[in-house]
């Protein structure tokens, strides 16, 4: 299979967008004193990974407002993992 730079750049952009969106919301939530429990974070990580897996296996094109690529969902999952790790480090 041939390497397609534009597709790689788009995938990276979508991943970064998903990651940044979650981290921006986390900053906002922290400024308000909100905190998700570890259980809630793990649930959200699982949901994002599941959505990414479904998107990767789907042969249907992305359509509609609110549908995101697998890379976007993986970015969100990784951001949630970073938040979970940060909470554990702060609690230790």
């Amino acid at each position: 299979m041939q390497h397609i730079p534009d597709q790689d750049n788009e995938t990276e952009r979508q991943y970064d967008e998903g990651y940044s969106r979650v981290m921006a919301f986390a900053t906002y939530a922290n400024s308000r004193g909100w905190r998700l429990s570890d259980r809630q974070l793990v649930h959200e990580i699982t949901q994002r990974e599941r959505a990414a897996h479904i998107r990767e296996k789907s042969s249907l094109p992305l359509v509609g407002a609110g549908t995101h690529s697998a890379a976007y969902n993986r970015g969100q999952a990784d951001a949630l993992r970073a938040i979970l790790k940060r909470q554990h480090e702060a609690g230790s």
Side-chain angles (χ1 to χ4, degrees):
M1 181 171 228
Q2 187 178 3
H3 177 69
I4 305 172
D6 289 341
Q7 187 175 9
D8 290 346
N9 289 341
E10 181 64 17
T11 299
E12 185 176 337
R13 186 194 63 74
Q14 290 173 358
Y15 176 92
D16 290 343
E17 184 180 330
Y19 190 94
S20 297
R21 184 171 182 143
V22 169
M23 294 309 261
F25 183 77
T27 301
Y28 171 78
N30 287 338
S31 73
R32 302 279 186 280
W34 302 339
R35 183 182 178 274
L36 289 175
S37 70
D38 291 353
R39 183 179 177 144
Q40 289 169 316
L41 285 168
V42 169
H43 174 77
E44 291 301 321
I45 291 166
T46 304
Q47 293 302 310
R48 297 312 191 283
E49 286 292 344
R50 184 170 180 257
H53 180 73
I54 290 168
R55 175 52 48 205
E56 286 173 344
K57 299 298 178 192
S58 176
S59 60
L60 300 174
L62 286 171
V63 292
T67 53
H68 299 291
S69 69
Y72 183 89
N73 286 306
R74 293 231 190 271
Q76 287 187 323
D78 286 346
L80 290 163
R81 281 188 197 90
I83 293 166
L84 182 61
K85 182 178 178 183
R86 186 172 53 201
Q87 282 186 187
H88 272 262
E89 290 170 351
S92 298

